Amino acid sequence: MNLFSLLQARAAAGDPIRVGLIGAGKFGSMYLAQVPRTPGVHLVGIADLSPARAHENLARVGWPVERAAAASLDHAAKSGTTHVGDDWQALVSHPAIDIVIECTGNPPAAVEHCLAAFAAGKHVVNVTVEADAFCGPMLARRAAAAGVIYSLAYGDQPALACELVDWARTAGFPVVAAGRGHKWLPQYRESTPDTVWDHWGVSAEQARIGGMNPKMFNAFLDGSKPAIESAAIANATGLAAQSHGLSFPPGSIDDIPTLMRPRSEGGVLEKKGVVEVVSSLRPDGTKLPYDIRKGVWVCIEADTDYIHRCFGEYQVVTDPGGRYMCSYKRWHLIGLELGISIASIGLRGEPTGLARVFNADVIATAKRDLAAGEVLDGEGGYTVFGKLVPATASLAARHLPLGLAHSVALVRPVAKDQLVTWDDVAIDTSSAACRLRREMEATFAAREPEREPEREPERMA
């Protein structure tokens, strides 16, 4: 609360939060649509591989041409306008910029951008959650060592789920599970960019007009993004990944308290304190009513008689025993909400989600039988999908994180549904992303999974 009034005060003082954006694709464009409506924020510069495309997207979201016509970052900083170019190094090093938004969607590049921004003394909002999933804890450590803030992006589901978990724990509730919704059927594992619009819910023409990248959206459909975002939630909250990963149980919002119980109590969880994803489709493909497909949720427990009675008195929706309930946000608005991260960091010095532990990992898994010599094409592509696994299992088996499965050749065959390992690929270990991941593996290899402390439950009569 109060962020808007604080932004107004910064605007009145002529001291806006100064921001640089790397990547002006779909997510970035959604944020760009909101910048002119936000007081106290000045977008100094945009760096994109294609400045012409960035200008097209600015026009699409309604920016007047003159607003993004600054000839240089210096000119933009002095005039209150925005410079568009292709030099991300110049952007992250410019003294006028306070916060860098990494919005490329390219995990290896995102790591390089984040590290360079930290070195330049800039705070970072990392929209490229794929990078956070495979080395977020180390990015957070590097940021802390540089005296800057590293943050997940508000508007994306991980940050929103982290907010719900924080609400629950701050109010004193034990968290049984937390996660997001998804449109899911097992056969979606095999989806490719060629088939994504057949299942997503928009036509290919609608996707084209909206600037929707089929590979990126297929990463949602094939289960990779839910795994990636679940890993980000787990590593930011201390919740665990279950041994089997995600089970995608189908259910409406009102079903969540019944589903998100331990199996011993009739639910789907192998234990309490985990991440999970709820499907909006029944196994036959029909839609469930009042679904959580585009939202996030947290399931909490009434662990005393008094709280149990309160649930009943206030008529909250619970499981049949009245012990479990959920709080939720049904929609997330992606880049349209990113300004919350900017305000939180720029005004309060607080991230909107931060990888604090390494509990969960997302592994490249073969979509089909793959032959030696084939080149992996990352999340949402034709060769692999992402599977959530406990970090300890991933480290023990030397699994290859999905975020590094980009333009990497196989040196031996990998069967369909088999998890890829480091030994299966020829990979450039000198890249910044690979070095940081190897450093993280060495750091966490001998550690037990970490969890945020919960209060000791009292026995119910």
Side-chain angles (χ1 to χ4, degrees):
M1 288 185 279
N2 302 314
L3 288 176
F4 184 67
S5 61
L6 294 173
L7 285 172
Q8 288 178 310
R10 289 287 290 263
D15 182 27
I17 302 167
R18 293 175 171 86
V19 179
L21 173 69
I22 307 177
K26 179 61 175 176
F27 196 114
S29 295
M30 295 180 82
Y31 175 63
L32 292 171
Q34 300 296 75
V35 172
R37 299 177 172 86
T38 310
V41 175
H42 174 201
L43 185 68
V44 177
I46 300 169
D48 194 277
L49 291 173
S50 172
R53 184 192 68 170
H55 279 292
E56 290 173 2
N57 286 341
L58 285 166
R60 178 184 285 118
V61 303
W63 274 46
V65 172
E66 61 273 14
R67 189 182 183 100
S72 67
L73 292 169
D74 286 338
H75 179 214
K78 293 175 182 177
S79 64
T81 57
T82 300
H83 172 68
V84 180
D86 59 5
D87 189 345
W88 68 265
Q89 291 98 332
L91 185 75
V92 301
S93 62
H94 196 277
I97 291 174
D98 305 311
I99 301 172
V100 172
I101 303 171
E102 207 305 319
C103 204
T104 63
N106 182 318
V111 172
E112 184 178 3
H113 299 159
C114 288
L115 293 176
F118 301 156
K122 313 298 184 185
H123 308 303
V124 173
V125 180
N126 186 13
V127 176
T128 306
V129 68
E130 297 86 351
D132 188 87
F134 81 83
C135 62
M138 293 309 294
L139 288 172
R141 290 185 178 206
R142 290 291 184 89
V148 296
I149 295 167
Y150 169 76
S151 178
L152 295 174
Y154 200 91
D156 249 358
Q157 286 161 306
L160 302 183
C162 290
E163 183 179 50
L164 288 178
V165 171
D166 188 64
W167 161 82
R169 287 172 168 160
T170 303
F173 293 111
V175 173
V176 180
R180 50 162 287 174
H182 188 48
K183 181 180 180 180
W184 173 254
L185 292 173
Q187 56 265 39
Y188 292 167
R189 286 281 194 217
E190 300 175 10
S191 180
T192 71
D194 296 334
T195 62
V196 59
W197 306 131
D198 297 338
H199 309 293
W200 185 259
V202 301
S203 69
E205 178 62 12
Q206 287 174 312
R208 184 193 66 78
I209 293 172
M212 298 168 70
N213 182 324
K215 186 173 184 288
M216 182 190 74
F217 279 85
N218 193 56
F220 288 93
L221 190 70
D222 71 9
S224 297
K225 272 281 195 177
I228 288 164
E229 295 189 346
S230 296
I233 295 167
N235 294 336
T237 62
L239 296 172
Q242 300 178 88
S243 61
H244 62 274
L246 298 170
S247 52
F248 299 97
S252 69
I253 287 171
D254 287 348
D255 293 328
I256 293 175
T258 299
L259 292 169
M260 296 303 143
R261 302 177 294 173
R263 292 172 191 157
S264 60
E265 299 179 42
V268 303
L269 307 180
E270 67 182 17
K271 60 184 178 181
K272 296 178 183 179
V274 299
V275 290
E276 186 54 276
V277 174
V278 176
S279 176
S280 64
L281 299 179
R282 299 183 181 92
D284 64 3
T286 57
K287 295 180 180 179
L288 284 153
Y290 201 53
D291 65 74
I292 194 72
R293 175 187 176 187
K294 298 297 181 70
V296 294
W297 52 269
V298 61
C299 186
I300 61 177
E301 180 181 5
D303 60 344
T304 70
D305 286 336
Y306 178 77
I307 299 171
H308 182 259
R309 288 196 300 271
C310 286
F311 282 4
E313 291 163 0
Y314 285 89
Q315 301 177 33
V316 298
V317 175
T318 67
D319 71 300
R323 184 173 180 178
Y324 300 96
M325 70 155 284
C326 85
S327 186
Y328 61 93
K329 183 172 184 177
R330 195 178 182 206
W331 306 102
H332 74 298
L333 298 180
I334 320 172
L336 299 178
E337 297 182 83
L338 184 60
I340 303 297
S341 289
I342 301 303
S344 181
I345 294 168
L347 300 171
R348 293 180 175 162
E350 295 178 355
T352 51
L354 174 69
R356 303 178 188 277
V357 297
F358 184 38
N359 285 356
D361 206 3
V362 181
I363 304 308
T365 309
K367 281 188 174 180
R368 53 178 172 78
D369 289 342
L370 300 174
E374 288 199 66
V375 177
L376 304 183
D377 55 357
E379 58 277 351
Y382 296 87
T383 58
V384 291
F385 66 88
K387 179 177 174 58
L388 184 74
V389 300
T392 50
S394 172
L395 294 177
R398 289 178 44 79
H399 288 142
L400 179 72
L402 181 65
L404 290 178
H406 289 253
S407 302
V408 175
L410 291 172
V411 297
R412 58 190 184 188
V414 179
K416 181 181 178 182
D417 295 327
Q418 181 177 321
L419 277 65
V420 182
T421 71
W422 287 97
D423 298 325
D424 294 325
V425 297
I427 190 168
D428 177 12
T429 57
S430 67
S431 69
C434 194
R435 291 199 311 271
L436 193 66
R437 170 65 188 208
R438 288 290 181 89
E439 180 184 344
M440 189 170 84
E441 291 184 355
T443 300
F444 288 93
R447 297 187 179 187
E448 291 296 317
E450 300 180 61
R451 297 182 63 175
E452 290 290 314
E454 296 275 16
R455 67 178 182 181
E456 287 295 323
E458 301 175 33
R459 288 188 176 275
M460 292 181 61

